[in-house]
Amino acid sequence: MTYREQTIEVYQSYFAVARQLKKLAHQSAAKLGLTVHQIGILNFLLGHPGQTQKEVTERLVFNKSRVSLHIDALALKGLVNRAVSEQDRRETKLYLTPAGEALCQQYNGEAWSHQVLGEALEQFTEQELKQLIHMNKQLLLHLNP
């Protein structure tokens, strides 16, 4: 197999894995009445409470107007609270409500994409998994100059 053929095979395998995980993630989010983007926002706020909408947009690389709509929907569902910043009254900080935190934790514990991937990874040794993670991080470094 030529280097180019190997490159194409690696590309196609990553694309197929990503497509399947995305499909499972969408199904898991829908089961909870949310979108994958909304779950992404909840997970980000779980680890980084008190972020502004701008910070969420920049970190998650979503369209600004879409983030606004998702945050509005999450607020309407009682999953996210907005609070005016004490340092700068023009900024609004975002926080998970207890219900938002619980739903986020539920998703992370029950998500089919996590479960299926976990089961698939069981076939590898700990050393192979460490190597896979290392290789993926190296690839990302070179793909994001």
Side-chain angles (χ1 to χ4, degrees):
M1 187 180 297
T2 67
Y3 183 75
R4 177 150 173 76
E5 290 170 333
Q6 287 176 328
T7 300
I8 291 169
E9 187 171 342
V10 168
Y11 177 85
Q12 289 173 339
S13 70
Y14 271 107
F15 193 80
V17 167
R19 184 177 47 238
Q20 185 60 25
L21 289 174
K22 184 177 176 181
K23 176 182 167 187
L24 294 169
H26 279 279
Q27 290 172 351
S28 295
K31 186 176 164 185
L32 297 175
L34 300 172
T35 68
V36 170
H37 293 300
Q38 290 169 339
I39 289 291
I41 292 168
L42 292 177
N43 269 321
F44 178 66
L45 292 175
L46 181 67
H48 305 89
Q51 299 295 301
T52 65
Q53 184 171 314
K54 180 181 178 184
E55 291 166 328
V56 171
T57 302
E58 289 171 354
R59 177 64 189 262
L60 299 179
V61 195
F62 293 162
N63 180 294
K64 185 178 178 181
S65 64
R66 299 298 306 165
V67 169
S68 181
L69 292 172
H70 289 308
I71 291 171
D72 288 345
L74 292 169
L76 281 173
K77 291 180 182 204
L79 303 174
V80 171
N81 279 334
R82 294 179 170 106
V84 176
S85 170
E86 293 178 12
Q87 292 83 20
D88 184 348
R89 309 287 293 161
R90 295 171 294 174
E91 286 187 339
T92 302
K93 302 284 187 171
L94 301 169
Y95 298 91
L96 293 183
T97 65
E101 188 172 331
L103 195 62
C104 190
Q105 298 286 5
Q106 180 182 353
Y107 175 84
N108 290 334
E110 297 177 0
W112 292 334
S113 55
H114 296 175
Q115 291 175 6
V116 171
L117 180 59
E119 291 168 6
L121 293 175
E122 287 176 357
Q123 68 180 310
F124 300 107
T125 67
E126 185 176 342
Q127 183 59 35
E128 288 172 326
L129 289 174
K130 286 179 181 179
Q131 187 175 5
L132 176 64
I133 292 166
H134 174 75
M135 291 170 64
N136 283 336
K137 286 179 179 180
Q138 290 299 110
L139 276 171
L140 281 173
L141 281 175
H142 293 290
L143 291 172
N144 294 314

